[in-house]
Amino acid sequence: MDFEKMYEKLRELIVGEIKEELREFKATVTGQLQGFALAIESINARMGNIESDIRDLRKSIEGNNTRVDEINKRIDDINKRIDETNKRIDETNKRIDETNKRIDELRVELKNEIMQNTLRIDETNKRIDNLYLEVSEIKGQLNKALSQKEIINDVLTRVQKLEEKVYAVA
């Protein structure tokens, strides 16, 4: 029976050690489980905060989307006004082009009229020059005639004096 007692003692010793290790393991596992429970509670609290933050972000995004939509509408309105302004600018440019064409046509007409007037003025100047030459020639002839008339008058006066002397002597 010694063997059985030894067996019993050995068994009690091994089972005791296993029980002690199990108790320690159980205490460790229990501590770890409590730590995990705390961690899970902390994670749950954080998840709640994250979910709240996500809700707030969604609301903010929806608000931003609404504002973006409003801005897009305003941009569309501005683009329409820009298009209308561009159309008016194009129409104004067309009118300016037409006016420029008309101005160019008038320039050509004015150039032609100026050229014709210049030709007429040149012709008139030639006629004036010819008339001036003729008048100068006539003036020269008139001066010559006047000189000759003075000579003739002088000769006539002398002839009359001579005749008076001749008649007075006779």
Side-chain angles (χ1 to χ4, degrees):
M1 287 222 187
D2 276 338
F3 182 69
E4 280 185 31
K5 280 185 186 181
M6 242 172 72
Y7 170 76
E8 266 312 302
K9 281 231 176 197
L10 192 59
R11 190 178 144 243
E12 281 179 22
L13 189 70
I14 291 175
V15 169
E17 276 186 39
I18 290 176
K19 280 184 183 179
E20 185 62 34
E21 280 186 34
L22 278 176
R23 266 189 234 126
E24 286 176 13
F25 179 73
K26 185 178 175 184
T28 302
V29 168
T30 301
Q32 286 179 352
L33 286 175
Q34 288 173 347
F36 287 144
L38 287 173
I40 288 172
E41 286 177 23
S42 173
I43 288 173
N44 282 338
R46 281 195 225 151
M47 287 298 284
N49 289 337
I50 290 172
E51 286 174 357
S52 174
D53 289 345
I54 287 174
R55 270 187 244 112
D56 291 344
L57 282 174
R58 283 185 180 153
K59 286 180 185 176
S60 176
I61 288 171
E62 287 172 6
N64 286 338
N65 284 340
T66 303
R67 280 186 257 149
V68 167
D69 290 343
E70 290 171 5
I71 290 170
N72 283 337
K73 285 178 187 177
R74 284 189 288 190
I75 288 171
D76 290 343
D77 290 342
I78 290 170
N79 282 335
K80 284 179 186 176
R81 282 190 259 154
I82 288 172
D83 288 343
E84 291 170 2
T85 303
N86 284 338
K87 286 178 185 177
R88 286 188 298 196
I89 288 171
D90 289 343
E91 290 171 3
T92 303
N93 283 338
K94 283 181 183 178
R95 287 195 308 247
I96 288 171
D97 288 344
E98 291 169 1
T99 303
N100 285 339
K101 286 179 185 176
R102 181 65 184 140
I103 288 171
D104 289 342
E105 291 170 0
L106 288 173
R107 276 188 186 144
V108 168
E109 287 178 26
L110 285 173
K111 276 185 176 180
N112 288 335
E113 286 186 35
I114 289 170
M115 288 296 289
Q116 289 174 357
N117 286 337
T118 302
L119 289 174
R120 280 191 285 174
I121 289 170
D122 288 346
E123 288 175 19
T124 304
N125 284 338
K126 283 180 188 176
R127 286 175 50 206
I128 289 172
D129 289 344
N130 288 336
L131 288 174
Y132 180 77
L133 288 175
E134 286 178 25
V135 167
S136 293
E137 191 176 308
I138 290 171
K139 184 180 174 186
Q141 288 174 356
L142 183 62
N143 284 335
K144 187 177 174 184
L146 287 174
S147 288
Q148 285 178 354
K149 182 181 176 190
E150 285 179 20
I151 293 173
I152 291 172
N153 283 340
D154 185 50
V155 169
L156 281 175
T157 306
R158 286 182 189 186
V159 168
Q160 280 178 350
K161 284 183 186 177
L162 278 175
E163 280 180 353
E164 287 175 7
K165 283 184 186 179
V166 170
Y167 287 121
V169 178

